[in-house]
């Protein structure tokens, strides 16, 4: 069974997806971390971020590894902390928009999905990566709430800069951020994590054989 969790930055995807995977005993797959790790590597190797072909080759040559403890590795480097820097937040949409990059990432994400029982978090999971996912969730939240959540994660940045970053990321991610027609849209602005997780868990249980 695949549970796809999509939605914009700050809608609560990571917290909800991780917690849900824990409750269900499923694997948790953070596809954003894969785009982030590639961005980290491209910067380390000084590859211009407008060169889709080269970035696609880089992605193919250096598969991102995600372990069950949430550690993210690429090209032999542990980038778990490095990919959460504000610099990566700003640059990852530039890398993620190249088709050459998306093709490689999506292939790998599909391979991982085929192993079964996973909660997969991203932007295009229910629409493109796993259109046959049994449960599709699209999380949304007010932009103000999303900015506050980002601020809690990145206290060093400042509220104004964060709000601007969020707006820019929303714009550049927009083309990939349509909910699947059959996704359940949940507004998390006023819900706490456990409530959201319980709602999704109920949908999952309704799909499982008794
Ligand atoms: O969810 P996140 O903030 O870690 O995602 C990082 C970036 O990667 C974000 O700009 C959107 C992009 N992304 C994507 O294009 N497709 C995905 N499946 C996951 C993330």
């Amino acid at each position: 069974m695949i549970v796809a969790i999509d939605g914009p930055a700050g809608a609560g995807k990571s917290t909800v997806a991780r917690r849900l995977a824990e409750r269900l005993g499923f694997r948790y797959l953070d596809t954003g971390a894969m785009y982030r790790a590639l961005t980290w590597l491209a910067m380390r190797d000084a590859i211009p971020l407008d060169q889709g072909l080269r970035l696609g080759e880089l992605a193919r040559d250096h598969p991102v590894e995600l372990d069950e403890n949430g550690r993210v590795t690429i090209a032999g480097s542990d980038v778990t902390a490095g990919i959460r820097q504000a610099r990566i937040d700003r640059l990852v949409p530039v890398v993620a928009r190249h088709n050459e990059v998306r093709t490689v990432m999506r292939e790998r994400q599909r391979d991982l999905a085929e192993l079964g029982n996973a909660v997969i978090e991203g932007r295009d999971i229910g629409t493109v990566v796993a259109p046959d996912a049994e449960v599709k969730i699209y999380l949304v939240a007010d932009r103000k709430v999303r900015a506050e959540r980002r601020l809690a994660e990145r206290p060093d940045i400042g509220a104004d800069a964060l709000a601007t970053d969020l707006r820019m990321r929303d714009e550049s991610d927009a083309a990939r951020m349509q909910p699947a027609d059959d996704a359940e849209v949940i507004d998390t602005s006023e819900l706490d994590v456990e409530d959201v997780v319980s709602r999704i868990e109920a949908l999952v249980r309704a799909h499982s054989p008794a």
Side-chain angles (χ1 to χ4, degrees), residues 31-32 35-36 84 92-93 96 102 122-124 169 173 176:
T31 61
Y35 290 98
R36 287 172 177 272
R84 302 295 162 192
V92 61
R102 303 196 72 75
R123 300 290 195 285
D124 55 351
R169 289 183 64 195
D173 291 340
R176 297 183 290 281

Side-chain angles (χ1 to χ4, degrees), residues 7-9 123-124 138 146 169-171 173-179:
R123 300 290 195 285
D124 55 351
Y138 194 86
R146 295 195 288 123
R169 289 183 64 195
D170 279 359
E171 281 162 14
D173 291 340
R176 297 183 290 281
M177 287 206 313
Q178 302 306 316

Side-chain angles (χ1 to χ4, degrees), residues 4-209:
I5 302 201
D6 292 302
K13 296 187 303 294
S14 300
T15 318
V16 165
R18 204 175 292 124
R19 185 82 188 94
L20 178 70
E22 240 170 59
R23 276 211 212 171
L24 297 170
F26 281 18
R27 286 172 306 129
Y28 162 59
L29 184 58
D30 175 2
T31 61
M34 298 170 77
Y35 290 98
R36 287 172 177 272
L38 182 65
T39 305
W40 180 94
L41 186 62
M43 289 172 69
R44 187 199 72 177
D45 292 356
I47 295 177
L49 301 189
D50 59 352
Q51 298 196 5
L53 207 59
R54 282 184 72 188
L55 293 169
E57 283 168 7
L58 191 72
R60 206 170 281 287
D61 292 345
H62 299 286
V64 181
E65 282 162 44
L66 306 169
D67 79 7
E68 68 274 21
N69 299 315
R71 302 222 75 78
V72 185
T73 310
I74 191 166
S77 295
D78 182 334
V79 296
T80 312
I83 61 170
R84 302 295 162 192
Q85 297 165 37
R87 203 160 64 121
I88 301 280
D89 290 346
R90 276 194 289 271
L91 293 175
V92 61
V94 183
V95 170
R97 98 175 144 231
H98 295 294
N99 282 330
E100 296 90 340
V101 168
R102 303 196 72 75
T103 303
V104 177
M105 294 298 189
R106 285 168 170 168
E107 271 173 28
R108 197 155 299 135
Q109 290 158 12
R110 285 190 190 113
D111 289 346
L112 293 167
E114 271 173 22
L115 302 173
N117 286 359
V119 178
I120 311 183
E121 169 205 338
R123 300 290 195 285
D124 55 351
I125 308 306
T127 46
V128 184
V129 173
D132 297 331
E134 286 85 349
V135 176
K136 298 184 188 180
I137 306 295
Y138 194 86
L139 296 184
V140 294
D142 296 343
R143 187 175 275 161
K144 188 165 167 287
V145 173
R146 295 195 288 123
E148 281 164 10
R149 289 179 184 159
R150 293 309 267 192
L151 191 58
E153 287 170 7
R154 308 268 198 281
D156 48 318
I157 300 175
D160 288 349
L162 258 173
T164 307
D165 278 3
L166 200 59
R167 198 164 43 244
M168 286 168 56
R169 289 183 64 195
D170 279 359
E171 281 162 14
S172 58
D173 291 340
R176 297 183 290 281
M177 287 206 313
Q178 302 306 316
D181 291 340
D182 49 352
E184 170 96 8
V185 178
I186 302 179
D187 186 334
T188 68
S189 306
E190 296 186 358
L191 295 176
D192 68 32
V193 174
E194 293 303 316
D195 291 338
V196 179
V197 173
S198 295
R199 247 173 95 172
I200 304 174
E201 194 182 2
L203 293 171
V204 172
R205 305 264 176 227
H207 268 269
S208 308

